[in-house]
Amino acid sequence: MTKEELAQDYFDRHPQSNECHVTSDLRVFHQKSNAESFAANLKDSKVASFTRNHGSTSNEEQTPEQKLLAFNPEVTSYDEAKELVKLLKIKLESKTKESHFEALAAAKEYLIKNQE
């Protein structure tokens, strides 16, 4: 299977996920940080990232808005949430995990409502 086929298979089996990451040895990961950690021990340490786009996948560089749309609190790590909050320049009243996830969920909801 190609990386693209593996990503599509992943999305078919994980309807709640909007992104996945494939290492050069064709292993699929939920979180980019885990894929990068694993890939560091491989001869080819590149990781291909894919996002769900209405049934298709793309490994192009994501915009901040695409990253926000791919945000899923069930699979996003706290470190990824912190990175996304920083990227989107979201101001937080506190630096807790809950405040990061709540702010991203609110920003995602706002973005979806304003895309229509």
Side-chain angles (χ1 to χ4, degrees), residues 1 95 116:
M1 289 183 107
K95 302 290 183 189
E116 298 171 353

Side-chain angles (χ1 to χ4, degrees), residues 64-98:
E65 291 79 14
Q66 289 170 320
K67 289 181 181 185
L68 180 59
L69 290 172
F71 168 72
N72 180 340
E74 293 180 16
V75 297
T76 301
S77 72
Y78 181 39
D79 287 336
E80 291 170 326
K82 289 191 290 187
E83 184 180 313
L84 188 53
V85 164
K86 185 177 179 179
L87 177 67
L88 295 168
K89 300 177 183 172
I90 297 174
K91 302 235 186 286
L92 300 174
E93 291 187 25
S94 68
K95 302 290 183 189
T96 64
K97 178 180 178 178
E98 293 78 20

Side-chain angles (χ1 to χ4, degrees), residues 65 69 110-116:
E65 291 79 14
L69 290 172
Y110 178 83
L111 180 60
I112 291 169
K113 284 181 181 178
N114 288 299
Q115 280 185 335
E116 298 171 353

Side-chain angles (χ1 to χ4, degrees), residues 13-67:
R13 292 181 296 108
H14 297 90
Q16 78 285 3
S17 293
N18 290 317
E19 66 178 298
C20 69
H21 313 279
V22 183
T23 57
S24 63
D25 68 342
L26 303 179
R27 293 180 192 242
V28 182
F29 291 83
H30 294 288
Q31 298 177 346
K32 187 172 186 176
S33 59
N34 292 344
E36 290 172 336
S37 294
F38 183 84
N41 298 313
L42 300 174
K43 186 175 183 178
D44 180 357
S45 61
K46 292 179 185 163
V47 174
S49 295
F50 297 87
T51 57
R52 180 188 307 270
N53 290 329
H54 306 289
S56 64
T57 58
S58 169
N59 61 355
E60 297 172 5
E61 185 64 32
Q62 291 180 296
T63 67
E65 291 79 14
Q66 289 170 320
K67 289 181 181 185

Side-chain angles (χ1 to χ4, degrees), residues 94-109:
S94 68
K95 302 290 183 189
T96 64
K97 178 180 178 178
E98 293 78 20
S99 66
H100 281 77
F101 280 76
E102 288 172 5
L104 289 171
K108 180 178 178 178
E109 183 178 329

